Amino acid sequence: MNKRLIVIGGGAAGFFCAVNAARLCPQLEVLLLEKTGKLLSKVKVSGGGRCNVTHAAPDIGYMAQRYPRGQHFVKKAFGHFFVPDTINWFAERGVELKTEADGRMFPVTDSSQTIIDCLLREADLYKISILMQQEVTALQRTANGRWQVQLQHSPALDADYLCIAAGGYAQADKFNWLKATGHTIAAPAPSLFTLNMPGHPITALMGVSVPKALVKVTGSKLQEQGPLLITHWGLSGPAVLRLSAWGARELQQMQYTFTALVNWVPDYHENSLREEMQDLRHSLGGQKMYNKNPFELPQRLWQFLLQQAGIHETVRWADMPAKAQQLLVKNLVAMELPVKGKTTFKEEFVTCGGVQLTEINPATMESKLQPNLYFAGEVMDVDGITGGFNFQHAWTSGYIAAQAIAKC
């Protein structure tokens, strides 16, 4: 009798496990369950619809450092399937990837549909059965040691192997069906979100972006530098998204209410900028401050900062009052922005938390507590910053699980 693998979850990790297990072990019957009516939904929206497949990391150590949770685990896993393997896997199936200046990798078509079509073709080629609208409610061992999968609206299914690739959950109670297998769950917390500043005048600058800014959270060690985007609700951009990933648990404890300090000119600190201001007063003395922006900041932001310091549009550099200069320096290097709340970054919702990594073997993705139970993707307590890192973890863990199952 042919053995059966059931993969729970129709996202990147689930598909990658299913198609590779079926390819590596042709006699294996593979069934994929998806609880919604959509397959690969995160693949579709990732990278603004282009799908940020992976990241062109120079080595495993560099890559592992981009995971706020799970660094040691992914470091071991990447030894089995890493970025070059991902690139080759897709290339062998006619999907070429390209690298952008910041290291993010996309299909050359700039369309996530290319990745979706590739995975669906593989599923079709290896005759994987896909069942939609199938929510799993419980997992049980049968008398003969197989798994029984209880479904909400359908009869139970039996399997020899299970791979759980159900993604992250926002609420802890959603993990109850997994806890029943004896696994420990690290409590979930949102990761990759933008910061809300309701009613703050800076939101009038929505659409303004700064190529390099430093964002800090007061009362913590959290800080990130990089591109920053002002939105109609607050702050976004890579610097903020990285900050939200590294600070996921800390910011949750703060209930997303804190003060962000922004240095718009991170090449300066307060003392060096004060000295620079004195030089500018001499060198640009006769010019109007509103017209002459020496820090290469977006013009709308520069004028906003002058307004916040109480500097009128007719004021020349030489005539800037000492009090106004003090305020301008402070707002340039340490502008205080009160944060109250967060917003999910587009539809790229990521959670930290999930199945405790000490209970999973990184070389096989098999549970250390339950034989023939495997995990892949975000259901584990692993999450990366934005830039293709979460997808690489999905491909890696899905492939390793498939390889281990195919050997059984």
Side-chain angles (χ1 to χ4, degrees):
M1 189 180 87
N2 280 359
K3 294 204 167 182
R4 178 193 270 176
L5 160 67
I6 290 181
V7 177
I8 300 170
F15 256 86
F16 217 60
C17 176
V19 298
N20 284 298
R23 177 177 61 85
L24 294 167
C25 183
Q27 64 272 31
L28 188 67
E29 181 196 352
V30 181
L31 192 58
L32 186 142
L33 308 178
E34 168 54 42
K35 71 174 178 182
T36 71
K38 289 180 185 171
L39 296 169
L40 300 161
S41 52
K42 271 194 187 174
V43 172
K44 190 159 185 62
V45 300
S46 156
R50 296 194 297 144
C51 187
N52 186 181
V53 177
T54 184
H55 198 94
D59 54 56
I60 287 172
Y62 173 95
M63 192 82 165
Q65 285 170 5
R66 271 69 191 162
Y67 294 82
R69 281 145 296 270
Q71 286 190 15
H72 297 301
F73 186 86
V74 297
K75 201 170 185 180
K76 290 174 185 169
F78 289 154
H80 300 271
F81 190 90
F82 191 45
V83 175
D85 303 301
T86 301
I87 295 166
N88 291 340
W89 193 93
F90 281 105
E92 283 166 7
R93 287 151 186 85
V95 177
E96 296 294 328
L97 303 181
K98 61 174 180 178
T99 307
E100 302 209 334
D102 59 4
R104 292 181 303 159
M105 297 193 75
F106 296 90
V108 292
T109 57
D110 275 330
S111 170
S112 55
Q113 198 59 45
T114 306
I115 302 298
I116 293 169
D117 290 345
C118 173
L119 292 168
L120 290 175
R121 272 197 310 273
E122 288 290 293
D124 193 45
L125 179 64
Y126 295 107
K127 298 181 173 50
I128 290 161
S129 304
I130 298 172
L131 300 180
M132 313 279 276
Q133 308 283 6
Q134 299 292 337
E135 184 161 4
V136 175
T137 55
L139 304 174
Q140 288 167 337
R141 282 277 187 199
T142 59
N144 59 3
R146 297 180 85 216
W147 284 101
Q148 188 177 69
V149 180
Q150 305 280 349
L151 300 169
Q152 195 166 27
H153 301 299
S154 303
L157 296 166
D158 282 0
D160 299 279
Y161 312 106
L162 278 185
C163 179
I164 314 236
Y169 293 109
Q171 287 91 29
D173 61 350
K174 299 277 188 193
F175 284 101
N176 286 347
W177 62 285
L178 274 177
K179 271 174 135 172
T181 64
H183 277 280
T184 314
I185 304 296
S191 181
L192 293 190
F193 49 82
T194 61
L195 305 179
N196 291 359
M197 291 153 190
H200 195 281
I202 199 165
T203 57
L205 302 180
M206 61 181 180
V208 169
S209 65
V210 179
K212 190 170 81 165
L214 178 68
V215 188
K216 293 183 181 182
V217 174
T218 55
S220 83
K221 291 179 179 173
L222 291 169
Q223 65 173 57
E224 280 294 327
Q225 185 170 298
L228 195 62
L229 173 69
I230 301 168
T231 70
H232 63 278
W233 60 84
L235 291 182
S236 183
V240 166
L241 294 172
R242 287 200 293 269
L243 188 82
S244 75
W246 287 106
R249 296 212 178 279
E250 211 173 326
L251 299 180
Q252 185 186 46
Q253 285 168 356
M254 293 178 181
Q255 296 181 310
Y256 310 106
T257 303
F258 56 90
T259 300
L261 286 182
V262 178
N263 183 342
W264 303 103
V265 285
D267 292 338
Y268 294 94
H269 51 72
E270 197 169 338
N271 288 340
S272 63
L273 185 58
R274 205 177 282 126
E275 287 171 18
E276 178 69 11
M277 283 289 183
Q278 290 305 116
D279 293 343
L280 290 168
R281 289 177 75 120
H282 293 300
S283 60
L284 304 175
Q287 299 187 47
K288 287 181 182 174
M289 293 184 72
Y290 267 68
N291 303 342
K292 191 64 186 174
N293 163 9
F295 301 105
E296 295 181 1
L297 290 171
Q299 195 62 13
R300 283 170 65 202
L301 175 61
W302 173 243
Q303 292 182 356
F304 171 79
L305 291 166
L306 293 176
Q307 286 163 11
Q308 293 292 301
I311 297 169
H312 193 265
E313 56 193 61
T314 57
V315 173
R316 298 176 193 280
W317 275 94
D319 304 327
M320 176 173 36
K323 194 176 175 185
Q325 178 178 311
Q326 205 174 333
L327 200 49
L328 179 60
V329 166
K330 185 184 177 301
N331 282 341
L332 277 165
V333 296
M335 186 171 204
E336 293 186 16
L337 295 168
V339 174
K340 193 162 181 57
K342 62 174 175 56
T343 301
T344 301
F345 177 60
K346 298 181 181 171
E347 293 171 57
E348 296 182 37
F349 185 70
V350 172
T351 57
C352 69
V355 179
Q356 199 87 46
L357 299 177
T358 51
E359 300 170 356
I360 304 167
N361 179 350
T364 60
M365 296 299 147
E366 188 175 14
S367 162
K368 291 178 182 177
L369 312 181
Q370 300 280 0
N372 298 334
L373 176 64
Y374 297 80
F375 297 98
E378 211 190 316
V379 75
M380 299 184 268
D381 188 19
V382 173
D383 64 291
I385 60 173
T386 183
F389 301 100
N390 288 301
F391 273 133
Q392 184 55 51
H393 166 58
W395 312 132
T396 293
S397 54
Y399 189 88
I400 290 173
Q403 208 171 34
I405 292 162
K407 284 177 185 168
C408 295

